[in-house]
Amino acid sequence: MAENVSPDAKQRPAMSDSLSARGRRAASTPLRIDYDAFQETERDRYHPVENPDGRIPLNIAENRLSWPELREKIEELTRSETIPDWVPGYTSAGGAPPFREALAHFLETHLTGCAIDPGGLVVSAGATSVIEMTAFILAEAGEVAVIPAPSYPVYERDLGNFSAVERFDLVTHHEPFEIGAGPILSTGHLDAAREEIIASGRRFRMLILTSPDNPTGGIFTIDRLRAIADWCIQHEIHLVVNEIYGLSLVDTAHPDISGDYEAELKFDSFAQVMAERQSEYLHLWYALSKDLGISGFRVGSLWSLNADVIEAYENLNLTHSISNHTQWLLSRLLIEDDFLRGYIARNRARLTSSYAIAARALRAMRVPYVPSRGSLFLWVDLSEFLDEETQSGEMRLWREIFDESGVLLTPGVGFGHSKHGQFRVVYPCVSPDELAEAMSRLKRFVASRRAD
Ligand SMILES: Cc1ncc(COP(=O)(O)O)c(C=O)c1O
C-alpha cells in the first residue's frame, strides 16, 4: 500500500466515476465565470482605512443601498407579531394562500397597475427556480427559448440544467449605441429567428424578455410588448417577460444624466398586455430579490392566465417551495402600502444617485455605455482596449482590469452578444463611496492604456 493513501481512499472510486454524466458535468462547470476572482476579492476587500489598496467587486447583481431601511421595518414587524399556526406545517406547494394574496396585492399596488388574481400566481425559491420550473412546464427537451442579446448569462443554466431547453441569443445590433434609446427587437427579427430555428430542425417554443433589462437597463415600451405578444400568440409561442427589476428604475430626469436620454420612456408592466389579450401564451416573472434587495430570502413568482400551467406548477413545485416562515414574514411586509411606496421612491433615488456616479465617471473617461433606465447595471464598451477581438481577448482584458485596478467587473462572455469587449458594472452592490473609488481606479486604468 502506498504511504498516505488510506484504505478508504483506495476503495473509493474516483469522484468522476461515481457520478452520473449530469453530475460530472455539474462538478466541472463552475456556477459563475468570475467565481474565483470574486473569492480573491473577498479575501482582499477594499476598506478606506484598513485596506485602501484592496479589491472592489462590481459584479454581484445585488442592491445593498436600501437594506438598513428595510431591516428596520422587518425587525419592527417581527417584534410585534405572533407566528400563526399555519407556519410550521405543510401548505399549498404553489405557495401559502396568505402569501399569494399579499404578493398579488403588492404587485397590483406597486408594479402592474392592473388586477392580479392570486389564483394565477405561484411562488418558488427565487426567480432561478421559477425560470427552471417554467421551462420544464412549457418546453420539451431540445426546444428553443429565444432571448434578445446581450442577456443574463444564467438563463442558459436555468433553461438547460433540468429541462434541456436550448438558449438562442437573438442579436439585433452590434454596436451598443444602436440600443441607446431602448431595445430594438422587432417582429422582423423574430421572423428571421423562427426561420433559422425551423431550418435547424428545432422548435421555437418560448421568447424571454427582461424589462428592465439585465445587462443593458433597457425597457420595452407597452406598444412594443403588444406587437411582440401578438406575434407570439399568432405563432403559438410562449412569451415570458421577466420584470425582476420592475421597481428598480433610474430617474432619467436627474440633472447629471438627463442629457443621455432623447425621450422620456414610461415603464409599463407586461401584466397590462396580459390582461388585455387574455392569452394562454403570455406569462410574467417577478421576484423580490432585486427591488427589495433580499435575494437571500429566495422569493420568485410566475403569474399566468393559463390554468394548466398553474396546475402543473402546483403539482411540481414541492422541491422549489419557499419556507413558510419567509412567506409569512413577507406577507406582513407586502401589505404595508405606505411604507413600501416611500421605500420604493427612496430606493429609486439611491439607485439613481449611484448610477449618476458611475455614468458621470464613464462620460469623463469617454467610454461608451448604454444609458440605463432601470435594473442594477451599466453595460460598458471597453473594446478599444482589446488586444484582439475574441472571447479570449475579452477575458484577458477583464483580468488585466482586475489585476491593475482591483475592480472586478463581469465580462461579456455568456451574455450572448456579437461584440467582444463589453463589460457589466453593478453600481449599487457597494456603497457610493466605494463606487466612486472603483470608478477613479477605472479612470486611471483607461488613462494609462491610452497613454501606452
Ligand atoms: C434577469 C434575472 N433573472 C433572474 C435572476 C435570479 O434571481 P433570483 O436571485 O431571484 O433567483 C437574476 C439575478 O441576477 C436576473 O438578473
Side-chain angles (χ1 to χ4, degrees), residues 363-412:
R363 224 181 301 131
M365 292 178 223
R366 286 174 290 109
V367 163
Y369 58 91
V370 179
S372 166
R373 292 172 188 274
S375 78
L376 314 178
F377 314 111
L378 258 162
W379 186 237
V380 176
D381 184 356
L382 293 168
S383 56
E384 116 182 48
F385 305 110
L386 289 175
D387 57 16
E388 63 178 30
E389 289 190 16
T390 60
Q391 191 165 304
S392 21
E394 180 175 289
M395 289 306 287
R396 263 195 307 279
L397 175 57
W398 169 69
R399 190 69 219 192
E400 284 160 14
I401 295 170
F402 183 51
D403 288 341
E404 290 172 36
S405 72
V407 178
L408 182 57
L409 307 177
T410 310

Side-chain angles (χ1 to χ4, degrees), residues 140-380:
E140 307 287 355
E143 291 183 338
V144 176
V146 172
I147 311 177
S151 186
Y152 177 54
V154 188
Y155 278 139
E156 181 157 341
R157 304 283 180 84
D158 299 347
L159 297 166
N161 277 353
F162 289 91
S163 310
V165 172
E166 291 175 18
R167 168 178 174 151
F168 179 103
D169 293 299
L170 174 48
V171 176
T172 61
H173 63 283
H174 186 67
E175 295 297 338
F177 70 81
E178 295 173 68
I179 52 162
I184 56 172
L185 177 72
S186 67
T187 54
H189 293 122
L190 293 171
D191 283 329
R194 184 167 167 270
E195 274 166 32
E196 189 181 329
I197 292 164
I198 291 173
S200 71
R202 295 175 300 164
R203 180 169 176 186
F204 181 167
R205 193 62 179 239
M206 317 166 56
L207 172 65
I208 298 172
L209 307 181
T210 310
S211 182
D213 185 41
N214 175 359
T216 65
I219 58 179
F220 286 84
T221 61
I222 193 141
D223 285 338
R224 198 176 287 271
L225 288 174
R226 283 192 184 108
I228 294 172
D230 290 341
W231 183 92
C232 286
I233 295 167
Q234 182 198 342
H235 292 95
E236 302 187 345
I237 289 169
H238 290 282
L239 169 58
V240 196
V241 180
N242 186 351
E243 292 184 359
I244 188 168
Y245 300 101
L247 299 172
S248 299
L249 301 176
V250 169
D251 176 6
T252 56
H254 186 289
D256 287 1
I257 54 171
S258 57
D260 277 351
Y261 305 93
E262 279 166 30
E264 193 48 36
L265 285 189
K266 187 167 166 284
F267 171 81
D268 286 300
S269 172
F270 181 60
Q272 294 178 19
V273 180
M274 290 172 63
E276 289 163 11
R277 300 301 196 259
Q278 295 286 314
S279 166
E280 62 187 332
Y281 286 102
L282 309 183
H283 320 275
L284 179 75
W285 286 330
Y286 185 70
L288 299 175
S289 308
K290 313 296 174 170
D291 291 342
L292 296 190
I294 52 169
S295 47
F297 281 54
R298 310 307 300 137
V299 177
S301 65
L302 164 74
W303 186 55
S304 175
L305 301 178
N306 186 324
D308 292 337
V309 169
I310 298 299
E311 193 64 38
Y313 205 107
E314 295 255 14
N315 291 336
L316 289 169
N317 195 47
L318 213 49
T319 47
H320 293 260
S321 17
I322 309 167
S323 137
N324 277 1
H325 190 264
T326 300
Q327 295 193 59
W328 162 68
L329 178 61
L330 293 175
S331 66
R332 283 295 298 107
L333 178 71
L334 295 179
I335 55 172
E336 298 280 326
D337 294 350
D338 290 343
F339 167 77
L340 287 168
R341 218 170 268 119
Y343 171 89
I344 291 162
R346 288 185 291 275
N347 183 49
R348 186 177 182 189
R350 290 180 195 117
L351 282 176
T352 303
S353 71
S354 280
Y355 175 79
I357 291 171
R360 270 197 315 263
L362 291 168
R363 224 181 301 131
M365 292 178 223
R366 286 174 290 109
V367 163
Y369 58 91
V370 179
S372 166
R373 292 172 188 274
S375 78
L376 314 178
F377 314 111
L378 258 162
W379 186 237
V380 176

